[in-house]
Amino acid sequence: MPSWNDTEAARRPLVLLPSAQQGPLRAVAKRVGVALLLLFAVVAVVYADRGGYRDTGDGRLSLLDAFYYATVTVSTTGYGDITPVGDTARLVNIVFITPVRVLFLIVLVGTTLEVLAERTREDWRKSRWRARVRDHIVVAGYGTKGRSAIKTLLSTGVDRGSIVVVDPDPRVVAEAAEAGFVSIAGDATRSSVLKQAAVQRAREIVVASARDDTAVLITLTARQLNPHAGIQASVRESENVPLLRQSGADHVVTSSEAAGRLLGMSTSQPSVSEVIEDLLDQGSGLDLVSREVRPDEVGGPLSQVREPALAVVRDGRTLPFDHPRCTVLEPGDRLIVARSSPRPRGAPAEREGADGASAASEQ
């Protein structure tokens, strides 16, 4: 197998489908155990009927001779110095030792057969996956940002099988495959690598690269291959946001400045910072979700919605709750509302105010 230090090998994308892996030492030990079990079975049968065999040396068949006969027989060496002469011994050779010999050979060449079968199976699985995959989500980058994005996607109900990870580091790609994701080792700035991820049929593309210049190239390449997919990108510096948008990104998140804002807010307004962090952790505590307006809500103001509503999405625009157009909800609107999800076991409970409002709201 070519080394990843080789330039040509590094250019060639490696597709890994999630599967259960067995360690090489365990596989070898299992085959050796089966081979020894077959060998001892032949020794026991031969020694039990040792009177039916003839040794050209001394005429008697000892336990050592039984081991010797079993070894040269199952390995198809067959020197002929020990031969079955009794009817029972010959019948045992026909109905038992011969099948054991065949099985023993299969065990010996099992590694080669398994490699060939595994390659055939993997090629078939990859071809079948490429033919069937569509409307999936491609995540370019499996670092901290990529893992967090995938965690949030899973918490919102996205199927694990509909996520494809692309990363240039084979070790990171192997971790993603072990986590159950279809993974591709390769440079996501190259169109050949993104084509391996079937990005031309993807529904969403998440660009979570560690470098801003790489994120721009990935976005350009992905938008060229798929003009209709939604592209969500992340950058470290806000000055690169226009570049990402011009490259085709639909939404751009500035990671370093967002972290800085949270740090400043946690210093001046720690309670507000806790709420924002809770909102960012999808699936526990407070969550922001998008839903369609219900028929009984159409025509009324946003303030009469039962759930706390923060914004209305209308005609592709997001209107804050105090916008004049939010006074009358229209069919087709989407509402951004806050919901409370069950907290994971062990999570700290909300702090109760002096008037006990927190406890009363939960009852």
Side-chain angles (χ1 to χ4, degrees), residues 51-359:
Y53 294 83
R54 183 176 63 187
D55 186 356
T56 57
D58 55 6
R60 294 178 302 173
L61 195 71
S62 64
L63 182 60
L64 179 60
D65 293 333
F67 271 100
Y68 169 76
Y69 176 78
T71 303
V72 299
T73 299
V74 297
S75 62
T76 69
T77 305
Y79 293 113
D81 48 352
I82 299 178
T83 57
V85 294
D87 293 339
T88 304
R90 291 179 177 178
L91 181 62
V92 168
N93 271 262
I94 294 173
V95 300
F96 178 71
I97 296 181
T98 298
V100 168
R101 183 187 299 118
V102 175
L103 185 58
F104 188 83
L105 291 176
I106 292 176
V107 172
L108 289 180
V109 299
T111 301
T112 304
L113 293 177
E114 183 175 347
V115 169
L116 294 176
E118 183 67 19
R119 286 185 178 178
T120 302
R121 188 175 70 91
E122 282 298 311
D123 291 342
W124 178 79
R125 290 182 66 202
K126 291 175 184 178
S127 300
R128 185 169 176 265
W129 175 79
R130 291 193 185 100
R132 299 182 60 180
V133 65
R134 61 189 72 253
D135 295 332
H136 56 292
I137 300 175
V138 177
V139 179
Y142 196 64
T144 303
K145 291 184 289 187
R147 287 189 177 93
S148 299
I150 291 176
K151 179 182 176 182
T152 302
L153 289 172
L154 295 176
S155 66
T156 56
V158 175
D159 182 53
R160 187 179 297 267
S162 64
I163 297 177
V164 180
V165 174
V166 181
D167 196 279
D169 190 344
R171 293 171 296 181
V172 173
V173 169
E175 292 179 7
E178 290 179 1
F181 306 108
V182 176
S183 308
I184 298 173
D187 187 357
T189 62
R190 300 177 59 84
S191 59
S192 60
V193 176
L194 291 182
K195 287 180 180 178
Q196 291 288 331
V199 75
Q200 62 273 16
R201 298 195 299 270
R203 171 169 54 91
E204 296 286 340
I205 302 168
V206 178
V207 181
S209 174
R211 294 171 54 95
D212 289 1
D213 53 351
T214 304
V216 172
L217 290 176
I218 294 175
T219 304
L220 280 170
T221 308
R223 181 55 73 198
Q224 182 183 18
L225 294 174
N226 191 336
H228 307 293
I231 299 181
Q232 326 302 327
S234 169
V235 292
R236 295 177 59 86
E237 304 296 336
S238 59
E239 61 185 13
N240 295 322
V241 172
L243 292 176
L244 264 297
R245 295 192 180 277
Q246 293 175 11
S247 301
D250 297 293
H251 297 91
V252 182
V253 177
T254 308
S255 57
S256 57
E257 291 192 2
R261 294 191 193 100
L262 280 177
L263 286 175
M265 190 171 295
S266 62
T267 302
S268 59
Q269 305 179 70
S271 299
V272 176
S273 176
E274 288 181 5
V275 173
I276 295 177
E277 290 181 11
D278 193 0
L279 291 173
L280 291 175
D281 188 8
Q282 191 74 18
S284 63
L286 290 175
D287 289 333
L288 289 180
V289 297
S290 173
R291 69 167 177 85
E292 293 184 358
V293 63
R294 300 189 181 100
D296 59 329
E297 297 171 340
V298 174
L302 184 62
S303 58
Q304 291 186 0
V305 176
R306 296 178 182 178
E307 299 166 304
L310 304 182
V312 176
V313 181
R314 180 180 299 166
D315 299 329
R317 291 185 56 194
T318 302
L319 308 176
F321 69 94
D322 57 352
H323 194 278
R325 295 179 61 187
C326 293
T327 55
V328 178
L329 296 177
E330 300 178 1
D333 287 347
R334 295 195 65 86
L335 308 182
I336 308 299
V337 299
R339 291 178 180 174
S340 179
S341 302
R343 291 180 176 272
R345 183 176 298 179
E350 295 87 347
R351 287 193 296 266
E352 231 181 85
D355 56 355
S358 177

Side-chain angles (χ1 to χ4, degrees), residues 30-63:
K30 186 176 180 180
R31 293 193 184 94
V32 171
V34 172
L36 291 176
L37 182 62
L38 294 174
L39 183 64
F40 282 116
V42 173
V43 170
V45 171
V46 171
Y47 190 72
D49 190 29
R50 54 188 177 275
Y53 294 83
R54 183 176 63 187
D55 186 356
T56 57
D58 55 6
R60 294 178 302 173
L61 195 71
S62 64
L63 182 60

